[in-house]
């Protein structure tokens, strides 16, 4: 059959349409032999190949043949069954990747926000189990400082003087520290610190407003609030803990497609998850 022809499969009652070349990606596999009519177990019925196997799991096998990557849903749990299906079809490189279950399982990511309100200033410290998440969040947060007249929180926004952006304090790769509010400088002047969190373009001075915007940002990024507690009541330090299931780095196959090659595949790790 020509590699440009369309192949229709009925796997456990689920219909799949693909190219012959996709099924022939691994020439030693039973699917490649099926296309060449060399495997009698696969029956051609009314123009469709009938396969008495699990149709739901076969969708992951088709995805692998098309992309050469194993990238499974965060709630996937049938690793051993999918590995057996890969072995049945003679896709041993895929079966080998599925045997590395610990690399494919999603990981629980924890993030902790500490919030301390002290007179006209609010202190934030964010801890994260994933340094990449902290790095990405640090790129979204900017602290601006400037002089203003008046009394604290409700003072008008200083329009005459430009605000100066300040770098966030980074005690380690896993946490960051910043603050907002006002503090007395000299005369009737106050030093004001404003916080902006992208993509929101506001510059907020009130710590409660900043906390609300930070929560909204984390929730939109897939985190969920799992607990709140008071760390130090006398210092008014509140702690909020979030968690998120983070998709594991995918595994990929690199196929040798040189002339005369038998299609032998080598496994390698591939970072297919976008950094959060």
């Amino acid at each position: 059959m020509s590699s440009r022809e369309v192949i229709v499969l009925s796997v456990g009652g689920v219909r799949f349409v693909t190219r012959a070349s996709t099924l022939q990606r691994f020439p030693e596999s039973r699917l490649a032999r099926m296309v060449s009519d060399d495997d009698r177990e696969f029956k051609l019925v009314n123009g469709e190949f009938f396969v008495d196997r699990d149709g739901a799991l076969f969708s992951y096998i088709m995805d692998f043949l098309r992309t050469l990557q194993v990238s499974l849903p965060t709630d996937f749990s049938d690793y051993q069954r999918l590995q057996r299906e890969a072995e049945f079809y003679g896709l041993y490189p895929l079966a080998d990747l599925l045997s590395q279950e610990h690399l494919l399982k999603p990981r629980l990511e924890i993030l902790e926000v500490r919030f301390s309100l002290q007179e006209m200033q609010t202190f934030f410290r964010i801890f994260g189990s994933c340094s990449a998440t902290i790095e990405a969040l640090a790129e979204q947060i900017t602290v601006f400082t400037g002089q203003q007249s008046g009394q604290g929180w409700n003072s008008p926004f200083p329009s005459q003087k430009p605000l100066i952006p300040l770098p966030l304090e980074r005690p380690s790769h896993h946490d960051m520290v910043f603050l907002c509010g006002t503090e007395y400088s000299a005369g009737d002047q106050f030093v004001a610190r404003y916080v902006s969190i992208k993509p929101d373009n506001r510059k907020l001075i009130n710590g409660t407003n900043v906390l609300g915007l930070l929560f909204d940002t984390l929730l939109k990024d897939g985190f969920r609030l799992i607990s709140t507690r008071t760390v130090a009541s006398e210092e008014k330090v509140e702690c909020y803990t979030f968690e998120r299931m983070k998709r594991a780095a995918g595994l990929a196959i690199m196929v040798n497609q040189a002339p005369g090659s038998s299609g032998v595949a080598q496994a390698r790790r591939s970072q297919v998850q976008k950094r959060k």
Side-chain angles (χ1 to χ4, degrees), residues 26-31 33 61 64-65 70 82-100 253 263-267:
F26 297 90
E28 296 86 359
S29 71
R30 297 186 67 182
L31 292 171
R33 298 201 304 270
I61 289 175
F64 169 75
L65 290 173
V70 182
L82 184 54
Q83 183 179 351
R84 287 198 300 268
E85 293 298 294
E87 291 171 349
F88 169 80
Y89 292 109
L91 295 170
Y92 297 107
L94 173 58
D96 179 62
L97 293 186
L98 290 168
S99 68
Q100 304 177 61
I253 287 291
V264 175
Q266 295 180 335

Side-chain angles (χ1 to χ4, degrees), residues 120-262:
M120 293 187 296
Q121 290 184 306
T122 305
F123 296 82
F124 291 86
R125 186 161 191 171
I126 304 176
F127 303 84
S129 60
C130 177
S131 60
T133 297
I134 296 297
E135 291 289 345
L137 190 58
E139 293 175 0
Q140 293 179 257
I141 299 175
T142 306
V143 176
F144 297 89
T145 186
Q147 293 281 338
Q148 72 175 70
S149 301
Q151 300 298 319
W153 301 106
N154 299 316
S155 300
F157 188 87
S159 57
Q160 290 82 9
K161 296 182 180 179
L163 296 178
I164 302 172
L166 298 176
L168 296 180
E169 184 179 343
R170 296 294 308 278
S172 74
H173 292 296
H174 287 274
D175 59 344
M176 71 176 81
V177 177
F178 62 92
L179 64 92
C180 62
T182 59
E183 61 181 346
Y184 181 74
S185 176
D188 62 347
Q189 296 294 311
F190 285 81
V191 175
R193 289 176 184 260
Y194 299 83
V195 174
S196 178
I197 305 178
K198 296 178 182 177
D200 190 287
N201 59 4
R202 292 173 295 170
K203 294 179 176 65
L204 304 175
I205 194 171
N206 187 301
T208 302
N209 292 341
V210 173
L211 182 66
L213 179 57
L214 178 60
F215 277 22
D216 186 57
T217 301
L218 295 176
L219 294 174
K220 287 180 179 178
D221 200 28
F223 284 95
R224 67 186 187 97
L225 180 65
I226 59 172
S227 71
T228 63
R229 70 182 192 275
T230 300
V231 178
S233 57
E234 62 278 2
E235 297 179 2
K236 299 180 181 179
V237 179
E238 301 292 334
C239 178
Y240 304 86
T241 304
F242 296 80
E243 71 175 15
R244 176 178 66 179
M245 290 301 293
K246 185 179 181 182
R247 188 187 298 275
L251 296 181
I253 287 291
M254 184 168 53
V255 180
N256 182 1
Q257 297 179 333
S261 166
S262 62

